[in-house]
Amino acid sequence: MKLFSLFAVIATLFQCASLKFEDNPPFKINSATFKNYVGGMPGVSGTNVVINYETSTTVNFDSLFFKGRKAKIELETIKKKNYIKGHFNTSTVNSKEDLVLHKDGKKEYGNKVPEKKFPFELKESEAVISYLENGETKFFKVENIKKGEEIFYPSAKPRK
């Protein structure tokens, strides 16, 4: 059992070491912000990340990693400015899994173990963009993401 645990730790370290960040990606980041939102219905919440970028070539963006979550990148151009957007749902409404949290760990028995470990150690104000270049997945770390003002959506009005 100890040998298996040692192997698992070594494999994890090698996997993290293989994810290197690019120093010179084919795009330039101009600004980056994130805004948390709540509302609409009880338990609905999330975070939107918006990154303004410039590029002179076509970039095949894939995913955005932020605060322990992964989202598919959405691209948008507004007034000749390019944006990468990532929407991260943190809602507790309609959760597919029942999760028991209790100060007595024995009462949490039966909770499912998370399937995947987040591949990066990031600060609160950092995200990672994954993109494809010549068929290879590459990663770029975005630092100093500014926190915007939280958005509160009003509750939906009941229909009459």
Side-chain angles (χ1 to χ4, degrees):
M1 187 66 174
K2 288 181 182 179
L3 183 61
F4 177 74
S5 297
L6 180 62
F7 177 74
V9 169
I10 291 171
T12 302
L13 290 174
F14 279 115
Q15 179 186 8
C16 291
S18 68
L19 298 177
K20 301 207 184 310
F21 297 121
E22 295 298 315
D23 293 327
N24 297 309
F27 53 89
K28 177 186 172 221
I29 302 298
N30 294 324
S31 64
T33 59
F34 74 92
K35 292 182 180 182
N36 297 321
Y37 65 87
V38 295
M41 292 178 58
V44 174
S45 62
T47 302
N48 291 326
V49 178
V50 179
I51 301 171
N52 174 245
Y53 74 97
E54 293 176 21
T55 185
S56 58
T57 63
T58 301
V59 180
N60 294 316
F61 291 106
D62 182 53
S63 299
L64 186 64
F65 299 83
F66 184 68
K67 292 189 177 184
R69 296 180 183 272
K70 177 182 174 183
K72 278 304 228 188
I73 286 179
E74 297 174 24
L75 299 177
E76 187 171 2
T77 302
I78 302 172
K79 296 182 181 180
K80 298 184 180 180
K81 291 187 178 183
N82 298 315
Y83 296 94
I84 292 169
K85 293 184 172 187
H87 303 284
F88 300 89
N89 184 351
T90 59
S91 298
T92 57
V93 173
N94 298 327
S95 178
K96 292 182 176 31
E97 296 179 24
D98 289 332
L99 184 65
V100 176
L101 299 176
H102 198 278
K103 65 182 179 182
D104 180 4
K106 293 176 185 174
K107 294 191 178 186
E108 294 181 5
Y109 182 80
N111 285 342
K112 291 185 179 179
V113 176
E115 291 180 21
K116 292 185 178 180
K117 184 178 184 238
F118 193 68
F120 307 103
E121 285 189 36
L122 300 173
K123 295 178 183 172
E124 178 89 4
S125 63
E126 295 178 336
V128 172
I129 297 170
S130 71
Y131 62 97
L132 293 172
E133 188 174 60
N134 299 323
E136 181 182 351
T137 301
K138 296 189 175 186
F139 302 96
F140 179 74
K141 185 190 287 188
V142 180
E143 299 173 325
N144 301 319
I145 300 174
K146 305 290 183 216
K147 183 176 182 180
E149 200 167 309
E150 189 165 15
I151 301 168
F152 295 97
Y153 292 109
S155 296
K157 294 180 181 176
R159 294 183 182 183
K160 292 183 179 181

